[in-house]
Amino acid sequence: MAQISVDGQVISEIELKTSAKNNPYVRFEIVEYIGKGEKQRAQYFHVCAFAEHALGIVNAGIGKGSHIQLYGKLEVETYGKRDGKGVGKRMKIMLKDWGSIPIGESKRQTSLDKAPPEMVMPDEVIEIDGDKEPMPK
């Protein structure tokens, strides 16, 4: 299971919804900019938050344009395209914890009550060939 920590900006509206089992949830998109100067590029993520995390995001007034720090499980998700013609793939974060980042702050001020677990690097690194299957845009 891949864990990820992302500092990004919300780029879609956030609307609290309720599942068929009466559980609150939100889904939204964020962008994270990596690299500097001419090499800077954007990475996009679809975020899913449930229960207390969903309620916390909505109650904190997080919305389109907000800066946010996320920690969660990273998955590649296949989805049906809106035009009904085929499928696409996107990176999805199943939220485990989050915090807001005030605009203009150089230091993060988050509501994370614990740091992510310490990462242990494997003895052997497996190289992935990204040319075999393109990542979602």
Side-chain angles (χ1 to χ4, degrees), residues 80-96:
K81 292 188 176 181
R82 289 183 185 181
D83 63 7
K85 299 177 183 176
V87 296
K89 292 190 179 194
R90 62 185 170 200
M91 293 185 289
K92 177 173 79 170
I93 299 173
M94 298 299 291
L95 194 65
K96 290 188 174 185

Side-chain angles (χ1 to χ4, degrees), residues 13-136:
E13 298 299 331
I14 296 177
E15 179 183 346
L16 184 64
K17 296 184 179 184
T18 304
S19 71
K21 294 183 178 182
N22 208 28
N23 295 318
Y25 72 94
V26 294
R27 297 184 323 184
F28 57 96
E29 307 293 326
I30 65 166
V31 62
E32 173 188 44
Y33 294 99
I34 58 174
K36 293 186 178 190
E38 291 181 17
K39 294 186 179 193
Q40 186 180 48
R41 63 189 188 283
Q43 292 189 130
Y44 297 91
F45 298 92
H46 181 77
V47 181
C48 296
F50 299 93
E52 70 273 359
H53 293 306
L55 294 171
I57 287 169
V58 171
N59 291 338
I62 302 296
K64 189 173 184 177
S66 296
H67 292 262
I68 190 168
Q69 179 186 33
L70 304 174
Y71 171 70
K73 184 174 88 169
L74 179 65
E75 301 175 358
V76 175
E77 177 181 56
T78 302
Y79 66 95
K81 292 188 176 181
R82 289 183 185 181
D83 63 7
K85 299 177 183 176
V87 296
K89 292 190 179 194
R90 62 185 170 200
M91 293 185 289
K92 177 173 79 170
I93 299 173
M94 298 299 291
L95 194 65
K96 290 188 174 185
D97 214 341
W98 68 279
S100 62
I101 304 172
I103 295 175
E105 292 288 328
S106 59
K107 186 92 171 139
R108 291 184 204 128
Q109 296 181 357
T110 70
S111 64
L112 298 175
D113 54 10
K114 60 184 182 295
E118 189 171 318
M119 294 181 66
V120 177
M121 297 303 292
D123 294 334
E124 181 181 335
V125 177
I126 300 169
E127 188 171 313
I128 298 173
D129 184 358
D131 292 332
K132 290 185 179 178
E133 187 172 340
M135 292 299 292

